[in-house]
Amino acid sequence: MTKLGFTTRQVHSDRMLNTPEHGGVHSSTSNSVLFEFKDAQGIIDAFQGKRAAHVYSRSSSPSVAALQNMLNDLEGGVGTLCYSTGMAAISSTLFALLKSGDHLIVSQYLFGNTRSFFETIKDFGVQVTYADVTDIQQVKEAYRPNTKGVYTETVANPVTQVADLHAIGQFCEEKHMLFMVDNTMTPPPVFYAKDVKASLVFCSLTKYIAGHGNVLGGAVVDTGNFDWTKFDNLKPAYQVADTAQWGITQIKKKGLRDLGATLAPQSASAIALGMETLALRLSRSQHNAMQLATFLDNHPRVSKVFYPGLADHPQHFMAREYLHGGYGAILSFDLIEGADPVAFLNEMKLVICATHLGDNRTLALPVAPTIYFENTAEEREIMGISDTMLRISVGIEDTQDLIEDFEAALNTI
């Protein structure tokens, strides 16, 4: 399917990759928890990894497998696993691959819940160093002999710092480390993490992939870039014949099967349907984001706008290099000093105050007292988060309607 255009591939992905029953263009939703084996030897072979088969839906089901095939094709991977949420994908994968005494270099600009998880794994003996991932020198200075990998987002949420992805990928390859990229904010066709040597790609499917704010899900994709024979945390039982499958096999067994954060078949079907319009929705949202960012950047009641598409963004030129067809659809801005973000949001008529991203509807949130309220003022300052910052997830509404809603609310300040 690689010769077809992006949207053509997505619209026909399910039927071409999965050949649904009875000529359907969508894979059916499989509700069965258990799967019968007419020959008892079959279930033994499945348990021992001698044959591929669905045994119990906590580990796999036809509906989830169909979605995994589609996501694997989307990111150009060698293996993909789906989970009940994006956070489940991150936590299950890292618990499956790391052990006490390992060290990770992690972006200092991580989204609040993700950073909270990295604080949690410190309690299990995993060492974490936060670094400015926009500066490869800081990443290199954080390296230790026991460093197992680097974890970053492409574009940070909410202040939109852009990681120096190419340089980090090169460094990880040189040191035989995992390069783990959260691509939730800029999924294909905006950014292909495999091209910058990413090893594992994480995504909250809840956001742009599904797109409609009606289903939760997460995924991890093994791009095939990493040589798992050089990763010493793999159990011998999961070192299968194909070395490219070593990592995803252990993640499935120790992360998905053992921790049990399974994606429901009904959710998999809803996500697969949402994927069909991914490029169309992203294109519209990014167009709106650019127009809105430009408007806000010129408004006297806005002190600062954070959006990679603006020429004065610190990583604008990196964003131009990495991102295709736009600069994402997440932006943040600081109101002028003394302004009340709550009062501003209460004046908005069209934009929804909600904690979510990647929806068809435009959403807004006061950042400091919500998703970063657990962080200290000093930590928020390092991340660039002010007390008047508002995060905006730009949707697909008519552009002028959005601008008029923001303008009316700003005029009340």
Side-chain angles (χ1 to χ4, degrees):
M1 293 175 63
T2 54
K3 293 183 179 180
L4 299 174
F6 185 89
T7 298
T8 303
R9 287 171 56 199
Q10 295 314 112
V11 169
H12 295 278
S13 179
D14 200 351
R15 74 177 187 87
M16 287 187 171
L17 291 173
N18 299 313
T19 57
E21 294 178 332
H22 313 299
V25 296
H26 300 114
S27 295
S28 59
T29 303
S30 55
N31 295 316
S32 185
V33 171
L34 65 159
F35 301 91
E36 181 184 12
F37 290 81
K38 297 293 186 181
D39 180 353
Q41 185 61 43
I43 195 169
I44 295 172
D45 292 344
F47 263 85
Q48 295 182 4
K50 297 176 182 177
R51 60 170 288 191
H54 301 296
V55 175
Y56 190 66
S57 63
R58 173 161 38 84
S59 296
S60 69
S61 69
S63 297
V64 175
L67 176 61
Q68 289 172 169
N69 289 340
M70 297 164 69
L71 293 167
N72 202 56
D73 181 70
L74 181 75
E75 291 281 8
V78 298
T80 295
L81 292 171
C82 288
Y83 294 83
S84 54
T85 66
M87 286 306 307
I90 296 168
S91 58
S92 297
T93 298
L94 293 182
F95 272 126
L97 294 178
L98 299 176
K99 66 180 189 300
S100 179
D102 289 340
H103 174 250
L104 289 178
I105 302 168
V106 176
S107 169
Q108 70 183 34
Y109 306 119
L110 278 187
F111 171 61
N113 287 152
T114 312
R115 185 184 177 102
S116 177
F117 169 72
F118 280 101
E119 289 298 305
T120 297
I121 62 173
K122 288 182 180 180
D123 295 335
F124 291 85
V126 176
Q127 302 161 20
V128 175
T129 299
Y130 295 106
D132 181 353
V133 290
T134 69
D135 181 355
I136 185 58
Q137 191 57 39
Q138 288 204 31
V139 175
K140 289 182 176 180
E141 289 172 359
Y143 175 78
R144 304 175 186 174
N146 60 330
T147 303
K148 286 293 189 289
V150 177
Y151 189 102
T152 185
E153 296 156 336
T154 50
V155 178
N157 162 26
V159 194
T160 72
Q161 297 95 338
V162 181
D164 192 348
L165 297 159
H166 178 73
I168 297 173
Q170 289 285 107
F171 180 59
C172 287
E173 185 177 60
E174 291 168 10
K175 296 294 186 180
H176 307 299
M177 295 188 297
L178 288 168
F179 182 24
M180 296 169 283
V181 176
D182 187 328
N183 202 24
T184 297
M185 296 297 100
T186 54
V190 178
F191 176 69
Y192 290 89
K194 184 174 182 176
D195 292 345
V196 295
K197 302 184 186 297
S199 313
L200 297 174
V201 183
F202 294 89
C203 182
S204 171
L205 304 174
T206 313
K207 311 302 192 298
Y208 291 104
I209 299 294
H212 296 80
N214 63 348
V215 63
L216 293 167
V220 59
V221 180
D222 185 337
T223 64
N225 283 334
F226 187 71
D227 182 357
W228 289 103
T229 65
K230 297 180 180 178
F231 192 75
D232 56 11
N233 283 359
L234 294 182
K235 307 289 186 183
Y238 307 134
Q239 295 178 13
V240 295
D242 183 359
T243 58
Q245 295 296 309
W246 284 13
I248 205 72
T249 300
Q250 179 155 315
I251 295 167
K252 180 176 182 179
K253 300 294 188 181
K254 305 305 293 182
L256 178 60
R257 181 196 66 186
D258 290 3
L259 297 180
T262 307
L263 181 68
Q266 296 86 349
S267 297
S269 296
I271 293 166
L273 183 62
M275 281 181 65
E276 292 184 2
T277 57
L278 174 60
L280 303 180
R281 290 183 283 104
L282 270 172
S283 177
R284 178 71 180 186
S285 292
Q286 290 185 121
H287 167 79
N288 281 349
M290 189 71 240
Q291 298 301 310
L292 181 60
T294 302
F295 163 77
L296 293 170
D297 198 41
N298 290 288
H299 200 285
R301 292 179 177 86
V302 174
S303 66
K304 179 67 176 175
V305 179
F306 304 90
Y307 184 64
L310 296 177
D312 63 351
H313 188 282
Q315 293 88 43
H316 173 67
F317 290 100
M318 273 201 288
R320 283 179 59 180
E321 176 186 354
Y322 296 139
L323 306 182
H324 309 287
Y327 296 92
I330 303 299
L331 64 89
S332 293
F333 66 95
D334 291 338
L335 294 170
I336 56 174
E337 187 175 353
D340 183 357
V342 172
F344 167 78
L345 287 171
N346 288 345
E347 291 293 330
M348 305 207 79
K349 309 303 180 189
L350 182 64
V351 175
I352 300 169
C353 180
T355 179
H356 181 45
L357 300 170
D359 199 273
N360 286 329
R361 292 151 285 269
T362 297
L363 314 174
L365 186 75
V367 175
T370 56
I371 54 177
Y372 284 91
F373 83 96
E374 292 183 8
N375 297 98
T376 66
E378 292 77 14
E379 289 172 333
R380 289 197 294 269
E381 183 178 1
I382 291 172
M383 291 181 271
I385 297 167
S386 75
D387 290 338
T388 64
M389 177 175 283
L390 295 153
R391 183 190 72 186
I392 313 298
S393 171
V394 185
I396 65 172
E397 300 95 339
D398 290 298
T399 311
Q400 193 57 36
D401 291 337
L402 282 177
I403 290 176
E404 288 177 1
D405 198 31
F406 276 91
E407 183 170 30
L410 285 167
N411 288 338
T412 67
I413 295 176

